[in-house]
Amino acid sequence: MLVFDLALKSLRNRAFSTSLTVGSIALSVALLIGVENVRVGMRESFSNTISQTDLIVGTKGGTIQLLLYSVFGMGAPTENVSWEAYREWADHPAVEWTIPYGLGDSHRGFRVIGTNEDFYRHYRYRGGQQIALAEGRANEGLFDVTLGADVATELNYALGDEIAVTHGLGEVGFVTHDHMPFTVTGVLAKTFTPVDRAIYVTLEGMEAIHWEDGAPPASDDEHDHEAEAEAAPADDGHAHDDEAEAHAASADDGHAHDDEAEAHAASADDGHAHDDEAEAEAASADDGHAHDDEAEAQAAPADDGHVHAEDISIEDVEVTQVTSFFVGTTNRRDVLQLQREINDFEDEPMMAVIPGVALNEMWQGLAYAETGLRLVAIFVVLVGLLGMLVSLYTSLNERRREMAILRAVGAGPNRIITLLVLESLCLASAGALAGLTLVYALLSVAQPIVEAQAGLFIPIRPPGSIELLFLGAVVLAGFLMGFVPALKAYRTALHDGLAVRV
């Protein structure tokens, strides 16, 4: 105990160099523990984003790509799945529920997802927790929208506000569908998943805003009527030719002209006939106003070339496609068989992935980067410990007289070794604890920033077994490095410390 007190007093006597040594070790330990904490936290965050979902289905492509754009809002989809194919698999006997997703639009950098009531009924995250509303209600009408918690907070939206959706997934889209705005009807409770950074609308609403020229696509019957209308003037052209021939024939017949002259003369004698014609022309002139009103009424909707939100209802819209959909099976034993059937589907190129398997595949692809970061952090810790060793070793030259006095008052070589090893152990332990404290301080500050910028929630959790192993290794390495200056002091003779060097 006396030696330990002496070691602490010796370190306090060299406060500046001690603080620099502890600071360097703390920074290196913070890097090592921080890398591990972020790695584990990101894995937990990704794993907690979706739960109790057996399959994710979309068009053929990469399994990780399908997982990223469907669950984590990263990347862009390549193709869509037809509504008929989706309904065929949704009605499969092995499928208990599905959640359709429609992607491709955004609002001020936040993704807009088209879905239906099954999202609120079946979506689970973090061990089976259900989606809940913080305020308002879920989107039910054609142009209702429900906001994620982060969207409502960052954009300062409230219930009843209107938002316009932009085509495209970036900050700046291609076309803004401001002729069909959505009305905020609800805000989701905080989930600490990418759900918080998304905007949810109905599939019908997403379909309606993509109608060409703002109007619903024409049906087959309408196309047939248009074709007949275009063909009618062409057929009528033959009638004009026949009339021309009839006029030509009448021109050759002089008797016809005489008859016409007599008819004109007869009509000239009859004044009442002309009066009747004048009245008929006046009546037709009055009726012209009615035709003008009808023309104006027909032209009014075409002023801006768009059908507006108030002009259509959800029953008028027919969904034609989805981007992907989540599947929950009636029996977990059917998952692999159902996945095989979807992957072999001949009517449309589709693929199904198991979320857990796709996540493991993604982590395997990132394993090299994780290992590289960990090795860098370990070498940084070694550099910090070597700095401590250099500090203790070089300080022995300044402490020659201190060591000699201790030897002179009866401290044996073992006491000297113990003193220097304890100093090294104290420095390493203080640096490890300071580094651990620094990690949690930085995580508490960076957590909301990372969540806001990247949509990833890094949990602040107690040190795990790996972190404790790293801390123990740092302390042990510091303890062992303390023997290097201790052995040098042990070999130093008593007279060497008392002699005056010139």
Side-chain angles (χ1 to χ4, degrees):
M1 190 67 182
L2 178 62
V3 178
F4 182 73
D5 292 337
L6 188 60
L8 292 179
K9 291 179 181 179
S10 177
L11 292 174
R12 283 198 298 266
N13 188 51
R14 296 175 285 112
F16 183 72
S17 61
T18 299
S19 59
L20 289 179
T21 303
V22 171
S24 63
I25 296 175
L27 290 175
S28 59
V29 169
L31 178 61
L32 178 61
I33 303 301
V35 167
E36 185 63 24
N37 207 303
V38 170
R39 184 188 71 84
V40 175
M42 287 185 61
R43 289 201 176 202
E44 290 182 3
S45 179
F46 272 77
S47 300
N48 290 332
T49 299
I50 188 169
S51 175
Q52 299 182 8
T53 296
D54 297 320
L55 292 173
I56 302 174
V57 183
T59 56
K60 280 193 179 298
T63 58
I64 298 177
Q65 181 187 20
L66 176 60
L67 177 74
L68 289 178
Y69 71 69
S70 297
V71 179
F72 302 107
M74 300 178 181
T78 53
E79 295 291 340
N80 289 330
V81 177
S82 67
W83 183 255
E84 292 76 14
Y86 161 69
R87 288 309 316 168
E88 180 174 346
W89 290 108
D91 297 333
H92 193 280
V95 175
E96 182 178 0
W97 54 263
T98 59
I99 302 175
Y101 261 24
L103 304 174
D105 294 295
S106 63
H107 174 72
R108 297 177 62 178
F110 294 98
R111 295 201 173 204
V112 176
I113 299 176
T115 186
N116 57 18
E117 65 277 2
D118 290 331
F119 170 75
Y120 305 96
R121 188 180 300 128
H122 299 297
Y123 191 91
R124 297 292 186 273
Y125 68 97
R126 194 173 291 117
Q129 297 185 43
Q130 189 173 3
I131 295 294
L133 286 162
E135 55 179 320
R137 59 174 177 81
N139 51 304
E140 298 174 353
L142 181 60
F143 293 105
D144 291 347
V145 59
T146 304
L147 306 179
D150 290 346
V151 179
T153 301
E154 293 186 25
L155 301 183
N156 197 26
Y157 283 151
L159 299 182
D161 290 347
E162 290 188 348
I163 66 174
V165 173
T166 301
H167 186 67
L169 297 176
E171 289 283 350
V172 180
F174 302 106
V175 178
T176 299
H177 307 287
D178 49 6
H179 62 288
M180 291 185 179
F182 290 83
T183 302
V184 178
T185 61
V187 177
L188 297 177
K190 189 80 170 176
T191 64
F192 299 102
T193 69
V195 172
D196 298 334
R197 303 185 59 79
I199 299 172
Y200 296 90
V201 300
T202 61
L203 287 169
E204 291 80 5
M206 179 167 281
E207 185 78 27
I209 63 176
H210 292 109
W211 282 348
E212 185 176 1
D213 297 328
S219 62
D220 294 338
D221 294 337
E222 291 174 339
H223 285 299
D224 293 341
H225 289 306
E226 291 177 358
E228 292 175 359
E230 293 175 356
D235 295 339
D236 190 51
H238 296 291
H240 290 291
D241 294 339
D242 294 339
E243 290 177 0
E245 293 175 359
H247 284 297
S250 64
D252 296 335
D253 190 358
H255 298 289
H257 288 288
D258 294 337
D259 293 339
E260 289 177 6
E262 293 175 0
H264 283 297
S267 64
D269 294 336
D270 189 2
H272 297 290
H274 286 289
D275 293 337
D276 294 339
E277 290 177 2
E279 293 175 0
E281 290 176 359
S284 64
D286 294 336
D287 186 60
H289 294 291
H291 288 291
D292 292 340
D293 295 338
E294 291 178 4
E296 293 175 0
Q298 292 176 355
D303 288 341
D304 60 358
H306 293 292
V307 175
H308 293 273
E310 61 270 12
D311 299 329
I312 55 177
S313 64
I314 196 169
E315 291 79 12
D316 299 328
V317 183
E318 181 180 354
V319 181
T320 60
Q321 58 189 359
V322 297
T323 303
S324 59
F325 56 94
F326 303 152
V327 175
T329 57
T330 55
N331 194 321
R332 299 296 295 273
R333 291 177 296 183
D334 298 331
V335 172
L336 295 178
Q337 177 63 30
L338 182 63
Q339 181 187 24
R340 190 177 303 110
E341 292 180 12
I342 294 175
N343 291 339
D344 295 337
F345 189 53
E346 296 181 354
D347 296 347
E348 196 168 325
M350 299 172 61
M351 65 177 297
V353 301
I354 301 174
V357 175
L359 269 177
N360 288 334
E361 182 179 342
M362 183 178 70
W363 294 129
Q364 289 177 2
L366 296 175
Y368 296 104
E370 292 179 351
T371 303
L373 286 175
R374 186 179 293 174
L375 287 175
V376 169
I378 290 174
F379 280 116
V380 170
V381 172
L382 290 177
V383 170
L385 291 174
L386 288 175
M388 178 195 69
L389 175 60
V390 171
S391 176
L392 290 175
Y393 196 86
T394 55
S395 67
L396 286 179
N397 189 48
E398 301 174 358
R399 300 173 65 186
R400 290 185 308 109
R401 190 173 297 275
E402 177 188 348
M403 298 294 108
I405 292 174
L406 289 175
R407 295 282 297 272
V409 298
N414 293 335
R415 287 292 182 90
I416 301 299
I417 292 177
T418 304
L419 175 64
L420 293 176
V421 170
L422 282 176
E423 288 183 8
S424 178
L425 182 62
C426 289
L427 289 173
S429 300
L433 292 177
L436 186 63
T437 304
L438 181 61
V439 164
Y440 283 99
L442 292 176
L443 283 177
S444 61
V445 173
Q447 185 187 66
I449 299 175
V450 173
E451 183 184 1
Q453 298 297 324
L456 294 176
F457 176 73
I458 301 176
I460 299 177
R461 56 185 183 81
S465 58
I466 296 180
E467 288 93 337
L468 294 176
L469 179 63
F470 286 158
L471 291 175
V474 169
V475 174
L476 178 61
F479 172 77
L480 295 176
M481 286 184 177
F483 282 96
V484 176
L487 292 176
K488 183 178 184 300
Y490 176 79
R491 294 193 185 99
T492 301
L494 177 60
H495 64 83
D496 181 69
L498 296 178
V500 178
R501 291 185 179 181
V502 180

